[in-house]
Amino acid sequence: MRIGVNVPNFGPGTNPDVLRGWARTVEGLGFDLLMISDHVVVTPDVAKQYPAPFYEPFTTLSWLAGITDRIRLGTTVLIMPYRHPQLVARMAANLNDLSGGRLVLGVGVGWARQEFEALGVPFHRRGALTDEYLHALRAAWADGEDYRGGPVPIWIGGNSDAGLRRAVRLGEPWHPLRNTLPWLREAVSRLETLAGEQGRPVPALMPRIVLRLTTSPITDPDRLAGAGTIEQIMDDLEQLRLLGADTVVLDPFGGDPQETCHPEAAWHALAAVAASWDLHANDL
């Protein structure tokens, strides 16, 4: 099982030097994947969770590709309805080609109604547009002479049943975000049922979980996967491995924008995980 990291590409402390520090830390510790989020317009609903400045993912990942060597780069998640699919197809294929095949395109339908309005995209059609645009990506990448970096690996984000059905229908890995282990086990069972009903393979599991390192065990039955002592976090990772996860993405952002001004705490937690989990097992 591979381990990735969701890096904040937003907030008052984020700037090129900090992003460079994140990239060098995550790659230097041996993690397999560095992912960032996506917003285009920081409307009030977006700013409550992801305040400005917000670094656009394709621009940022292109820059990070030039200052890293081996780590995969991705989006968690690209909001699919925000951009014309032919533009996404071109940017993703080019970035994948220029980075040596290191791009992972996690996609989602989006949730920020005010941002949809600012972009002139109908909020009520976001699911249908996502499906339509994903088919358009595949069609574009079928032209391997033009889109030399495609097809790019796609992960289907979303915790709803619609997200599960989309992953099954499209045959792409499922990328749920920040949940408890009991919820994930039940969701994987639903995923298997949906796949069986449609006569399709069960999509691979690529969850994103929190990373919150504590000195004392968290005993709350609603504890999120990835929160607790290093022993609890290691057990969560092992349980996800047993559940069949191919890649787990750790998300160290706890929700306070001021965290982006002091990334060292997150780097310490990542170093603890790297020291306790064999990040190089997949290299053997």
Side-chain angles (χ1 to χ4, degrees), residues 11-96:
T14 300
N15 58 49
D17 285 340
V18 170
L19 287 167
R20 184 185 295 109
W22 271 103
R24 289 177 174 169
T25 298
V26 171
E27 184 172 57
L29 287 171
F31 289 96
D32 176 73
L33 173 64
L34 183 160
M35 305 192 93
I36 59 176
S37 302
D38 177 35
H39 283 286
V40 177
V41 186
V42 183
T43 48
D45 49 357
V46 172
K48 289 179 181 179
Q49 298 186 45
Y50 306 103
F54 203 104
Y55 284 76
E56 193 278 330
F58 282 110
T59 310
T60 306
L61 291 174
S62 296
W63 180 67
L64 291 174
I67 60 174
T68 55
D69 296 316
R70 59 150 196 91
I71 196 165
R72 292 189 295 161
L73 305 163
T75 54
T76 176
V77 290
L78 188 82
I79 303 172
M80 202 66 214
Y82 282 177
R83 300 166 181 84
H84 194 286
Q86 298 300 329
L87 176 62
V88 174
R90 179 72 61 191
M91 291 191 296
N94 288 169
L95 175 51
N96 197 46

Coordinates of all heavy atoms in Angstrom, one line a residue, residues 11-96:
G11 N -4.3 29.5 1.9 CA -4.2 30.0 3.3 C -3.1 31.1 3.4 O -2.2 31.2 2.6
P12 N -3.1 31.8 4.5 CA -2.3 33.0 4.7 C -0.8 32.7 4.8 O 0.1 33.5 4.4 CB -2.7 33.6 6.0 CG -3.4 32.4 6.8 CD -4.1 31.6 5.7
G13 N -0.4 31.4 5.1 CA 1.0 31.1 5.2 C 1.6 30.5 3.9 O 2.8 30.2 3.9
T14 N 0.7 30.3 2.9 CA 1.2 29.6 1.7 C 1.8 30.5 0.7 O 1.2 31.6 0.4 CB 0.0 28.8 1.1 OG1 -0.5 27.9 2.0 CG2 0.4 28.1 -0.2
N15 N 3.0 30.2 0.3 CA 3.7 31.0 -0.7 C 4.7 30.0 -1.4 O 4.8 28.8 -1.0 CB 4.4 32.2 -0.1 CG 5.4 31.7 1.0 OD1 6.2 30.8 0.8 ND2 5.3 32.4 2.2
P16 N 5.4 30.5 -2.4 CA 6.3 29.5 -3.2 C 7.3 28.9 -2.3 O 7.6 27.7 -2.4 CB 6.9 30.4 -4.2 CG 5.9 31.5 -4.5 CD 5.2 31.7 -3.2
D17 N 7.9 29.6 -1.3 CA 8.9 29.0 -0.4 C 8.3 27.9 0.4 O 8.9 26.8 0.6 CB 9.5 30.0 0.5 CG 10.5 30.9 -0.3 OD1 11.0 30.5 -1.3 OD2 10.8 32.1 0.2
V18 N 7.1 28.1 0.9 CA 6.4 27.1 1.8 C 6.0 25.9 0.9 O 6.2 24.7 1.3 CB 5.2 27.7 2.5 CG1 4.4 26.6 3.2 CG2 5.6 28.7 3.5
L19 N 5.5 26.1 -0.3 CA 5.2 25.0 -1.1 C 6.4 24.2 -1.5 O 6.4 23.0 -1.6 CB 4.5 25.5 -2.4 CG 3.0 26.0 -2.2 CD1 2.6 26.8 -3.5 CD2 2.1 24.8 -1.9
R20 N 7.5 24.9 -1.7 CA 8.8 24.2 -2.0 C 9.2 23.3 -0.8 O 9.6 22.2 -0.9 CB 9.9 25.2 -2.4 CG 11.2 24.6 -2.7 CD 12.3 25.6 -3.0 NE 12.0 26.5 -4.1 CZ 11.7 27.7 -4.0 NH1 11.5 28.3 -2.8 NH2 11.4 28.4 -5.1
G21 N 9.0 23.9 0.4 CA 9.3 23.2 1.6 C 8.5 21.9 1.8 O 9.0 20.9 2.2
W22 N 7.2 22.1 1.5 CA 6.3 20.9 1.5 C 6.8 19.8 0.6 O 6.9 18.6 0.9 CB 4.9 21.3 1.2 CG 4.0 21.8 2.3 CD1 3.7 23.0 2.6 CD2 3.4 20.9 3.3 NE1 2.9 23.1 3.7 CE2 2.7 21.8 4.2 CE3 3.3 19.5 3.5 CZ2 1.9 21.3 5.2 CZ3 2.6 19.0 4.5 CH2 1.9 19.9 5.4
A23 N 7.1 20.2 -0.7 CA 7.5 19.2 -1.7 C 8.7 18.5 -1.3 O 8.8 17.3 -1.4 CB 7.6 19.9 -3.0
R24 N 9.7 19.3 -0.8 CA 11.0 18.6 -0.4 C 10.8 17.8 0.8 O 11.5 16.7 0.9 CB 12.0 19.7 -0.2 CG 12.5 20.4 -1.5 CD 13.4 21.5 -1.3 NE 13.9 22.1 -2.6 CZ 14.6 23.2 -2.7 NH1 14.9 23.9 -1.7 NH2 15.0 23.6 -3.9
T25 N 10.0 18.2 1.7 CA 9.7 17.3 2.9 C 9.0 16.0 2.6 O 9.5 14.9 3.0 CB 8.9 18.1 3.9 OG1 9.6 19.3 4.4 CG2 8.6 17.3 5.2
V26 N 7.9 16.1 1.8 CA 7.1 15.0 1.5 C 7.9 14.0 0.6 O 7.9 12.8 0.9 CB 5.8 15.4 0.8 CG1 5.1 14.2 0.2 CG2 4.9 16.2 1.7
E27 N 8.6 14.5 -0.4 CA 9.4 13.6 -1.2 C 10.6 13.1 -0.4 O 11.0 11.9 -0.5 CB 9.9 14.3 -2.5 CG 10.7 13.4 -3.4 CD 11.0 14.1 -4.8 OE1 11.7 15.2 -4.8 OE2 10.6 13.5 -5.8
G28 N 11.3 13.9 0.4 CA 12.4 13.5 1.1 C 12.1 12.4 2.2 O 13.0 11.6 2.4
L29 N 10.9 12.4 2.7 CA 10.6 11.4 3.7 C 10.2 10.1 3.1 O 10.0 9.1 3.7 CB 9.4 11.9 4.5 CG 9.7 13.0 5.6 CD1 8.4 13.6 6.2 CD2 10.6 12.5 6.7
G30 N 10.0 10.1 1.7 CA 9.8 8.9 1.0 C 8.3 8.6 0.7 O 8.0 7.5 0.2
F31 N 7.4 9.6 0.8 CA 6.1 9.4 0.5 C 5.9 9.3 -1.0 O 6.7 9.8 -1.8 CB 5.2 10.5 1.0 CG 5.0 10.5 2.5 CD1 5.8 11.3 3.3 CD2 4.1 9.7 3.1 CE1 5.7 11.2 4.7 CE2 3.9 9.6 4.5 CZ 4.7 10.4 5.3
D32 N 4.9 8.6 -1.5 CA 4.7 8.2 -2.9 C 4.0 9.3 -3.7 O 4.2 9.4 -4.9 CB 3.9 6.9 -3.0 CG 3.6 6.6 -4.4 OD1 4.6 6.1 -5.1 OD2 2.5 6.7 -4.9
L33 N 3.2 10.1 -3.1 CA 2.3 11.0 -3.8 C 2.0 12.3 -3.1 O 1.9 12.3 -1.8 CB 0.9 10.3 -4.0 CG -0.3 11.0 -4.6 CD1 0.0 11.4 -6.0 CD2 -1.5 10.1 -4.5
L34 N 2.1 13.4 -3.8 CA 1.8 14.7 -3.2 C 0.5 15.3 -4.0 O 0.5 15.4 -5.2 CB 2.9 15.7 -3.4 CG 2.9 17.1 -2.9 CD1 4.3 17.7 -2.7 CD2 2.0 18.1 -3.7
M35 N -0.5 15.6 -3.2 CA -1.8 16.0 -3.8 C -2.2 17.4 -3.3 O -1.8 17.8 -2.2 CB -2.9 15.0 -3.6 CG -2.6 13.6 -4.0 SD -4.1 12.5 -4.0 CE -4.6 12.7 -5.7
I36 N -2.9 18.2 -4.1 CA -3.4 19.5 -3.7 C -4.8 19.6 -4.1 O -5.4 18.9 -4.9 CB -2.5 20.7 -4.3 CG1 -2.5 20.6 -5.8 CG2 -1.1 20.6 -3.7 CD1 -1.8 21.8 -6.4
S37 N -5.5 20.7 -3.6 CA -6.9 20.9 -3.8 C -7.2 21.8 -4.9 O -6.2 22.4 -5.5 CB -7.5 21.4 -2.5 OG -7.3 20.5 -1.4
D38 N -8.5 22.1 -5.2 CA -8.8 22.9 -6.3 C -10.0 23.8 -6.0 O -11.0 23.4 -5.5 CB -9.3 22.0 -7.5 CG -9.8 22.8 -8.7 OD1 -9.2 23.9 -9.0 OD2 -10.7 22.3 -9.4
H39 N -9.7 25.1 -6.2 CA -10.8 26.1 -6.3 C -10.3 27.2 -7.3 O -9.1 27.3 -7.5 CB -11.1 26.8 -5.0 CG -11.9 25.9 -4.1 ND1 -13.3 25.6 -4.3 CD2 -11.6 25.1 -3.0 CE1 -13.7 24.8 -3.4 NE2 -12.7 24.4 -2.6
V40 N -11.2 27.9 -7.9 CA -10.9 28.9 -8.9 C -11.2 30.3 -8.4 O -10.4 31.2 -8.6 CB -11.6 28.6 -10.2 CG1 -11.3 29.7 -11.3 CG2 -11.2 27.2 -10.8
V41 N -12.4 30.4 -7.8 CA -12.8 31.7 -7.3 C -13.0 31.6 -5.8 O -13.8 30.7 -5.3 CB -14.1 32.2 -7.9 CG1 -14.4 33.6 -7.4 CG2 -14.0 32.2 -9.4
V42 N -12.3 32.4 -5.0 CA -12.4 32.2 -3.5 C -13.7 33.1 -3.1 O -13.5 34.2 -2.5 CB -11.2 32.7 -2.8 CG1 -11.3 32.5 -1.3 CG2 -10.0 31.9 -3.3
T43 N -14.8 32.5 -3.3 CA -16.1 33.1 -2.9 C -16.2 32.9 -1.4 O -15.5 32.2 -0.8 CB -17.2 32.5 -3.7 OG1 -17.1 31.0 -3.6 CG2 -17.3 32.9 -5.1
P44 N -17.2 33.6 -0.7 CA -17.3 33.5 0.7 C -17.5 32.1 1.2 O -16.9 31.8 2.3 CB -18.6 34.4 1.0 CG -18.5 35.4 -0.1 CD -18.0 34.7 -1.3
D45 N -18.2 31.2 0.5 CA -18.4 29.9 1.0 C -17.0 29.1 0.9 O -16.8 28.3 1.8 CB -19.5 29.1 0.2 CG -19.4 29.3 -1.3 OD1 -18.5 29.9 -1.8 OD2 -20.2 28.6 -2.0
V46 N -16.2 29.4 -0.1 CA -14.9 28.7 -0.2 C -14.0 29.3 0.9 O -13.3 28.5 1.5 CB -14.3 29.0 -1.6 CG1 -12.9 28.5 -1.7 CG2 -15.1 28.3 -2.7
A47 N -14.0 30.6 1.1 CA -13.1 31.2 2.0 C -13.2 30.7 3.4 O -12.2 30.8 4.2 CB -13.2 32.7 1.9
K48 N -14.4 30.3 3.8 CA -14.6 29.8 5.2 C -13.7 28.5 5.4 O -13.3 28.3 6.6 CB -16.1 29.4 5.4 CG -17.0 30.6 5.4 CD -18.5 30.1 5.6 CE -19.4 31.3 5.6 NZ -20.8 30.8 5.8
Q49 N -13.4 27.8 4.4 CA -12.6 26.6 4.6 C -11.2 26.7 4.0 O -10.3 26.1 4.5 CB -13.3 25.3 4.0 CG -14.7 25.0 4.6 CD -15.3 23.7 4.1 OE1 -14.6 22.7 4.0 NE2 -16.6 23.8 3.8
Y50 N -11.2 27.4 2.8 CA -9.9 27.5 2.1 C -9.6 28.9 1.7 O -9.8 29.3 0.6 CB -10.0 26.6 0.8 CG -10.4 25.2 1.1 CD1 -11.7 24.8 0.8 CD2 -9.5 24.3 1.6 CE1 -12.1 23.5 1.0 CE2 -9.9 22.9 1.8 CZ -11.2 22.6 1.5 OH -11.6 21.3 1.8
P51 N -9.1 29.7 2.7 CA -8.9 31.1 2.4 C -7.8 31.4 1.5 O -6.9 30.6 1.3 CB -8.6 31.7 3.8 CG -8.0 30.5 4.6 CD -8.7 29.3 4.1
A52 N -7.9 32.6 0.9 CA -6.8 33.1 0.0 C -5.5 33.3 0.7 O -5.5 33.5 1.9 CB -7.3 34.4 -0.6
P53 N -4.4 33.2 0.0 CA -4.3 33.0 -1.5 C -4.6 31.5 -1.8 O -4.2 30.6 -1.0 CB -2.9 33.4 -1.9 CG -2.1 33.1 -0.6 CD -3.1 33.4 0.5
F54 N -5.1 31.2 -3.0 CA -5.3 29.9 -3.4 C -4.6 29.6 -4.7 O -4.8 30.3 -5.7 CB -6.8 29.6 -3.7 CG -7.2 28.1 -3.6 CD1 -7.8 27.6 -2.5 CD2 -6.8 27.2 -4.6 CE1 -8.1 26.2 -2.4 CE2 -7.1 25.9 -4.5 CZ -7.7 25.4 -3.4
Y55 N -3.6 28.7 -4.7 CA -2.8 28.4 -5.8 C -3.5 27.3 -6.7 O -3.7 26.2 -6.3 CB -1.4 27.9 -5.4 CG -0.5 29.0 -4.9 CD1 -0.7 29.6 -3.6 CD2 0.5 29.5 -5.6 CE1 0.1 30.6 -3.1 CE2 1.3 30.5 -5.2 CZ 1.1 31.1 -3.9 OH 1.9 32.1 -3.5
E56 N -3.7 27.7 -8.0 CA -4.5 26.9 -8.9 C -3.7 25.6 -9.1 O -2.5 25.6 -9.3 CB -4.6 27.7 -10.2 CG -5.6 27.0 -11.2 CD -5.0 25.9 -12.0 OE1 -3.8 26.0 -12.3 OE2 -5.7 25.0 -12.4
P57 N -4.4 24.4 -9.2 CA -3.6 23.1 -9.1 C -2.8 22.8 -10.3 O -1.7 22.3 -10.2 CB -4.7 22.1 -8.9 CG -6.0 22.8 -9.3 CD -5.8 24.2 -9.0
F58 N -3.2 23.1 -11.5 CA -2.4 22.7 -12.7 C -1.1 23.6 -12.7 O -0.1 23.1 -13.0 CB -3.2 22.9 -14.0 CG -4.1 21.8 -14.3 CD1 -5.5 21.9 -14.2 CD2 -3.7 20.5 -14.6 CE1 -6.4 20.9 -14.5 CE2 -4.5 19.4 -14.9 CZ -5.9 19.6 -14.8
T59 N -1.3 24.9 -12.4 CA -0.1 25.8 -12.4 C 0.9 25.3 -11.3 O 2.1 25.2 -11.6 CB -0.6 27.2 -12.1 OG1 -1.6 27.6 -13.0 CG2 0.6 28.2 -12.3
T60 N 0.3 25.0 -10.2 CA 1.2 24.7 -9.0 C 1.8 23.3 -9.2 O 3.0 23.2 -9.0 CB 0.3 24.7 -7.7 OG1 -0.4 25.9 -7.6 CG2 1.2 24.4 -6.5
L61 N 1.1 22.3 -9.7 CA 1.7 21.0 -9.9 C 2.7 21.0 -11.0 O 3.7 20.3 -10.9 CB 0.6 20.0 -10.2 CG -0.4 19.6 -9.1 CD1 -1.5 18.7 -9.6 CD2 0.4 19.0 -7.9
S62 N 2.5 21.9 -12.0 CA 3.5 22.0 -13.1 C 4.8 22.5 -12.5 O 5.9 22.0 -12.8 CB 3.0 22.9 -14.2 OG 1.9 22.4 -14.8
W63 N 4.7 23.5 -11.6 CA 5.9 24.1 -11.0 C 6.6 23.0 -10.1 O 7.8 22.9 -10.1 CB 5.5 25.3 -10.2 CG 6.7 26.0 -9.5 CD1 7.7 26.6 -10.1 CD2 6.8 26.1 -8.1 NE1 8.6 27.1 -9.1 CE2 8.0 26.8 -7.9 CE3 6.1 25.7 -7.0 CZ2 8.5 27.1 -6.6 CZ3 6.6 26.0 -5.7 CH2 7.7 26.7 -5.5
L64 N 5.7 22.3 -9.3 CA 6.3 21.3 -8.4 C 6.9 20.2 -9.1 O 7.9 19.6 -8.6 CB 5.2 20.8 -7.5 CG 4.6 21.8 -6.4 CD1 3.4 21.1 -5.7 CD2 5.7 22.2 -5.4
A65 N 6.4 19.9 -10.3 CA 7.0 18.8 -11.1 C 8.5 19.1 -11.4 O 9.3 18.2 -11.5 CB 6.2 18.6 -12.4
G66 N 8.8 20.4 -11.6 CA 10.1 20.8 -12.0 C 11.1 20.9 -10.8 O 12.3 20.9 -11.0
I67 N 10.6 20.8 -9.6 CA 11.5 20.9 -8.4 C 11.4 19.6 -7.6 O 12.0 19.5 -6.5 CB 11.1 22.1 -7.5 CG1 9.7 22.0 -6.9 CG2 11.4 23.4 -8.2 CD1 9.4 23.1 -5.9
T68 N 10.8 18.5 -8.2 CA 10.8 17.2 -7.6 C 11.3 16.2 -8.6 O 11.4 16.5 -9.8 CB 9.4 16.8 -7.1 OG1 8.5 16.9 -8.2 CG2 8.9 17.7 -6.0
D69 N 11.6 15.0 -8.1 CA 12.2 14.0 -9.0 C 11.4 12.8 -9.3 O 11.2 12.3 -10.4 CB 13.6 13.6 -8.5 CG 14.6 14.7 -8.4 OD1 14.7 15.5 -9.4 OD2 15.3 14.8 -7.4
R70 N 10.8 12.2 -8.2 CA 10.2 10.9 -8.4 C 8.7 10.9 -7.9 O 7.9 10.1 -8.3 CB 10.9 9.8 -7.6 CG 11.0 10.1 -6.1 CD 11.1 8.9 -5.2 NE 10.8 9.3 -3.8 CZ 9.6 9.4 -3.3 NH1 8.6 9.0 -4.0 NH2 9.4 9.8 -2.1
I71 N 8.4 11.8 -6.9 CA 7.1 11.7 -6.3 C 5.9 12.0 -7.3 O 6.1 12.8 -8.2 CB 7.0 12.7 -5.1 CG1 5.8 12.3 -4.2 CG2 6.9 14.1 -5.6 CD1 5.8 13.0 -2.9
R72 N 4.9 11.2 -7.2 CA 3.7 11.4 -8.1 C 3.0 12.7 -7.6 O 3.1 13.1 -6.4 CB 2.7 10.2 -8.0 CG 3.3 9.0 -8.7 CD 2.2 7.9 -8.8 NE 1.8 7.5 -7.4 CZ 0.6 6.8 -7.2 NH1 -0.2 6.6 -8.2 NH2 0.3 6.4 -6.0
L73 N 2.3 13.3 -8.5 CA 1.6 14.6 -8.2 C 0.1 14.5 -8.6 O -0.2 13.9 -9.6 CB 2.3 15.7 -9.0 CG 3.8 15.9 -8.8 CD1 4.4 16.7 -9.9 CD2 4.1 16.5 -7.4
G74 N -0.8 15.0 -7.8 CA -2.2 14.9 -8.1 C -3.1 15.9 -7.5 O -2.7 16.8 -6.8
T75 N -4.4 15.7 -7.8 CA -5.4 16.6 -7.3 C -6.4 15.9 -6.4 O -6.8 14.8 -6.8 CB -6.2 17.3 -8.5 OG1 -6.7 16.2 -9.3 CG2 -5.3 18.2 -9.3
T76 N -6.8 16.5 -5.3 CA -7.7 15.8 -4.4 C -8.6 16.9 -3.8 O -8.4 17.4 -2.8 CB -7.0 15.1 -3.3 OG1 -8.1 14.6 -2.4 CG2 -6.0 15.9 -2.5
V77 N -9.6 17.3 -4.7 CA -9.9 16.8 -6.0 C -10.1 18.0 -6.9 O -10.5 19.1 -6.5 CB -11.2 15.9 -6.0 CG1 -11.0 14.6 -5.3 CG2 -12.4 16.7 -5.4
L78 N -9.9 17.7 -8.2 CA -10.2 18.7 -9.3 C -11.7 18.8 -9.4 O -12.3 17.7 -9.6 CB -9.5 18.3 -10.6 CG -9.6 19.4 -11.7 CD1 -8.5 20.4 -11.5 CD2 -9.5 18.8 -13.1
I79 N -12.3 20.0 -9.4 CA -13.7 20.1 -9.5 C -14.0 20.1 -11.0 O -13.8 21.1 -11.7 CB -14.2 21.4 -8.8 CG1 -13.8 21.3 -7.3 CG2 -15.7 21.5 -8.9 CD1 -14.0 22.6 -6.6
M80 N -14.5 19.0 -11.5 CA -14.6 18.7 -12.9 C -15.5 19.7 -13.7 O -15.1 20.2 -14.8 CB -15.1 17.3 -13.1 CG -14.8 16.7 -14.4 SD -13.0 16.5 -14.7 CE -12.9 16.8 -16.4
P81 N -16.6 20.2 -13.1 CA -17.4 21.1 -14.0 C -16.9 22.5 -14.1 O -17.4 23.3 -14.9 CB -18.7 21.2 -13.1 CG -18.7 20.0 -12.3 CD -17.3 19.8 -11.9
Y82 N -15.8 22.9 -13.4 CA -15.3 24.2 -13.5 C -14.6 24.6 -14.8 O -14.4 25.8 -15.1 CB -14.3 24.5 -12.3 CG -15.0 24.7 -11.0 CD1 -14.2 24.9 -9.8 CD2 -16.4 24.8 -10.9 CE1 -14.8 25.1 -8.6 CE2 -17.0 25.0 -9.6 CZ -16.2 25.1 -8.5 OH -16.8 25.4 -7.3
R83 N -14.1 23.6 -15.5 CA -13.3 23.9 -16.7 C -13.8 23.1 -17.9 O -14.3 22.0 -17.7 CB -11.8 23.5 -16.4 CG -11.1 24.3 -15.3 CD -9.8 23.6 -14.9 NE -9.2 24.3 -13.8 CZ -9.4 24.0 -12.5 NH1 -10.4 23.1 -12.2 NH2 -8.8 24.6 -11.6
H84 N -13.6 23.6 -19.1 CA -14.0 22.9 -20.3 C -13.2 21.6 -20.3 O -12.0 21.6 -20.1 CB -13.7 23.8 -21.5 CG -14.4 23.3 -22.7 ND1 -13.9 22.1 -23.4 CD2 -15.5 23.7 -23.4 CE1 -14.7 21.9 -24.5 NE2 -15.7 22.8 -24.5
P85 N -13.8 20.5 -20.7 CA -13.1 19.2 -20.6 C -12.0 19.1 -21.6 O -11.0 18.4 -21.3 CB -14.2 18.2 -21.0 CG -15.3 19.0 -21.7 CD -15.3 20.3 -21.0
Q86 N -12.0 19.8 -22.7 CA -10.9 19.8 -23.7 C -9.7 20.5 -23.1 O -8.6 20.2 -23.4 CB -11.3 20.4 -25.0 CG -12.5 19.7 -25.7 CD -12.1 18.2 -26.0 OE1 -10.9 17.9 -26.3 NE2 -13.1 17.4 -26.0
L87 N -10.0 21.6 -22.3 CA -8.9 22.3 -21.6 C -8.2 21.3 -20.6 O -7.0 21.2 -20.5 CB -9.4 23.5 -21.0 CG -8.3 24.3 -20.2 CD1 -7.2 24.8 -21.0 CD2 -9.0 25.5 -19.5
V88 N -9.1 20.7 -19.8 CA -8.5 19.8 -18.8 C -7.8 18.6 -19.4 O -6.7 18.2 -19.0 CB -9.7 19.2 -17.9 CG1 -9.2 18.1 -16.9 CG2 -10.3 20.3 -17.1
A89 N -8.3 18.1 -20.5 CA -7.6 17.0 -21.2 C -6.2 17.4 -21.7 O -5.3 16.7 -21.5 CB -8.5 16.5 -22.4
R90 N -6.2 18.6 -22.2 CA -4.9 19.1 -22.7 C -3.9 19.4 -21.6 O -2.7 18.9 -21.6 CB -5.1 20.4 -23.5 CG -3.8 21.1 -24.1 CD -3.3 20.3 -25.2 NE -4.2 20.2 -26.3 CZ -4.0 19.4 -27.4 NH1 -2.9 18.6 -27.4 NH2 -4.9 19.4 -28.3
M91 N -4.3 20.1 -20.5 CA -3.5 20.4 -19.4 C -3.0 19.2 -18.7 O -1.8 19.0 -18.4 CB -4.1 21.4 -18.5 CG -4.4 22.8 -19.0 SD -4.9 24.0 -17.8 CE -6.5 23.3 -17.3
A92 N -3.9 18.3 -18.4 CA -3.5 17.0 -17.7 C -2.6 16.2 -18.5 O -1.6 15.7 -18.0 CB -4.8 16.2 -17.4
A93 N -2.8 16.0 -19.8 CA -2.0 15.2 -20.6 C -0.6 15.8 -20.7 O 0.4 15.1 -20.7 CB -2.6 15.0 -22.0
N94 N -0.5 17.1 -20.9 CA 0.8 17.8 -21.0 C 1.5 17.7 -19.7 O 2.8 17.4 -19.7 CB 0.6 19.3 -21.4 CG 0.1 19.5 -22.8 OD1 -0.3 20.6 -23.2 ND2 0.1 18.5 -23.7
L95 N 0.9 17.9 -18.6 CA 1.5 17.9 -17.3 C 2.0 16.4 -17.1 O 3.2 16.2 -16.6 CB 0.6 18.3 -16.2 CG 1.1 18.2 -14.8 CD1 2.5 18.8 -14.6 CD2 0.1 18.8 -13.8
N96 N 1.2 15.5 -17.4 CA 1.7 14.1 -17.2 C 2.9 13.7 -18.1 O 3.8 13.1 -17.6 CB 0.5 13.1 -17.5 CG 0.7 11.7 -17.0 OD1 1.1 11.6 -15.8 ND2 0.5 10.7 -17.8

